[in-house]
Amino acid sequence: MEVEAARKDAATLDTELLQLPEVAPCALRENTGIVEALYSQWLALPETSKMVKTLIEDAKAGSTLNVAGSSASTNAASSSSLPSMFPAGSAPPLSPRSTSGSPRVMRRGSGAGPSSLGSPLKLVSEPVREVIPQFYFKNGRPAPKDLREQCLSRIDHLFFAGEGVQIQEFRSVTKDICKLPSFFSSVLFKKIDAGCSGTVTRDAFVDYWINDNKITMDTASQIFEILRKPGYNYLTQEDFKPILKELLATHPGLEFLQGTPEFQERYAETVIYRIFYSINRAGNGHLTLRELKRGNLIGAMQQLDEEEDINKVLRYFSYEHFYVIYCKFWELDADHDFLIDKENLIRYGNHSLTYRIVDRIFSQVARKFTSMTEGKMGYEDFVYFILSEEDKSSEPSLEYWFKCIDLDGNGILTTNEMQFFYEEQLHRMECMAQEPVLFEDILCQMIDMIGPENESYFILRDLKRCKLSGNIFNILFNLNKFMAFETRDPFLIRQERENPTLTEWDRFAHREYIRLSMEEDGEDGSNGSGDVWGESVEAPF
């Protein structure tokens, strides 16, 4: 066993430490037998045994180990402290060493622990353990102490004497503590009062809002958590109905609708359809938190809670916008069964659309109809259509019409596909005794307008990159807008520049609302009986 241990020690020995200048280190490495013999002879010397015992005793006593050769300053005298392996007087002189160190032997600091033994093994320093603060919290980041105490102080003020709060008093909690729109109070109250006791206690509110870390979430995440059903990671249209119901009951701009529940329901539906049209980009009816954060719904809700004139909230909630959408649908729905067929839709915009594009709409290639009747478009489908038709600058509209023109669904609009739709436009121009514009000429105009990556076809990315891309679709299937684009009114152009924040939809809805309201008042020569609402329905406007 001792021989085997000696062999292992010899194998790990740095031959340079033998300091035999007449013997090349590489020769010793290649002749391990000589190294083993020298090492065994050195271990058998009495001086070696004595030195080892002394070192062991010093180590047990906790003394600083002091071995010759542990410091560069004692290298010159190291030969006297080590037992000689040569006969007396025959030891060759050691080569002189610089006190500043050499490439072979690096200077070691005194008291460096194991390195003072002159061990040939290279020491690897222990890696410093860096403490990384926790960055993921399953239930959200806990509230800082100062924020928690500040919130608790406000809670104690509203939940005085530790008593519970009923739903009528909960609006101040929603607005002052949660900093949410006031029309979220009912749904938030019912979320906390899971047992339907009719009262939310201080402890229940603290547990939900603070202990569950809702207080540290951003507003979009708070609203998402409040609206979503347990076990779901998305919102549906049904999830928005409770807040629309409370909005209709409390907003001063909607008080006039309280006597007409039918139109309250239609208004709420229209708002929800507009929200999902603009924000639910996947088009699957599942509104994710990511989509909610990327949209502008939160800002619109906050504006709505502060603005008494609901028509100034152009995003989603404007009543005038609902009025225009519903009236346009009612005008086309000849039999008032709340469904529209091809013949109804072809009358839209004074017959501005071509038959070919109407066929593509009813093929449901752009969007599957929600109506359960074959060949019929429901009210929700019409909302998607009119928003896409009247604002072709928005991304949902570009995607909607791109799918309609892309006949083979390969994601490319080729020359043949565009010519297929333009042929009907050309025929209509000839029938109206207007000077026709050849497709070759109009194609060059479209290429110059869009500047596609490849001039032989258009892709959706080309259209989204250009602000004038909506005119491409007007050229292909809307004759009235095509002619209006060719003969642009300088007055309208100046109006657009004066109010660049308004979208095409905003301008269209404003013009149509004025026209429809004048018809209701009988200023256009009609009898003012509100025919657009049908004989059995009285308009509440």
Side-chain angles (χ1 to χ4, degrees), residues 70-71 106-113 115-116:
S70 64
S71 173
M106 299 300 294
R107 178 177 298 175
R108 294 180 176 87
S110 60
S115 62
S116 62

Side-chain angles (χ1 to χ4, degrees), residues 296-308:
N296 56 2
L297 177 61
I298 304 303
M301 287 180 170
Q302 293 171 337
Q303 180 189 2
L304 178 63
D305 199 41
E306 302 297 330
E307 179 60 61
E308 291 188 2

Side-chain angles (χ1 to χ4, degrees), residues 132-297:
I132 301 176
Q134 183 177 354
F135 59 88
Y136 172 74
F137 301 88
K138 183 178 180 181
N139 297 319
R141 183 179 296 275
K145 184 178 179 180
D146 55 344
L147 177 61
R148 181 186 179 92
E149 292 178 352
Q150 183 181 2
C151 186
L152 286 173
S153 176
R154 295 200 304 268
I155 291 174
D156 292 336
H157 177 70
L158 292 177
F159 288 82
F160 47 87
E163 297 179 1
V165 173
Q166 295 183 345
I167 194 169
Q168 297 85 356
E169 307 162 331
F170 198 72
R171 287 174 64 86
S172 58
V173 176
T174 304
K175 195 169 178 64
D176 298 338
I177 297 180
C178 303
K179 306 299 182 184
L180 293 174
S182 58
F183 48 88
F184 273 82
S185 62
S186 294
V187 65
L188 178 58
F189 184 91
K190 293 176 182 177
K191 194 85 172 182
I192 301 174
D193 183 25
C196 300
S197 64
T199 302
V200 169
T201 63
R202 176 192 179 279
D203 292 341
F205 180 78
V206 169
D207 187 57
Y208 179 83
W209 191 253
I210 298 182
N211 297 342
D212 204 21
N213 302 325
K214 298 289 192 304
I215 187 175
T216 57
M217 295 180 179
D218 57 84
T219 306
S221 300
Q222 291 172 346
I223 289 177
F224 185 82
E225 289 297 318
I226 292 172
L227 294 182
R228 74 180 181 93
K229 291 186 283 289
Y232 288 78
N233 59 353
Y234 57 83
L235 301 177
T236 63
Q237 294 184 5
E238 289 292 326
D239 296 328
F240 285 89
K241 289 184 177 181
I243 63 171
L244 265 298
K245 181 179 179 180
E246 184 170 0
L247 177 69
L248 285 161
T250 59
H251 198 281
L254 296 171
E255 288 181 359
F256 68 99
L257 277 181
Q258 292 183 2
T260 55
E262 178 183 352
F263 293 109
Q264 284 185 326
E265 182 181 353
R266 296 302 176 206
Y267 170 81
E269 288 178 353
T270 306
V271 170
I272 294 173
Y273 297 156
R274 292 186 64 185
I275 290 172
F276 275 76
Y277 170 84
S278 298
I279 301 180
N280 181 215
R281 303 305 303 279
N284 55 4
H286 297 167
L287 187 62
T288 63
L289 176 59
R290 177 183 177 86
E291 291 174 327
L292 184 63
K293 288 184 176 182
R294 294 180 65 180
N296 56 2
L297 177 61

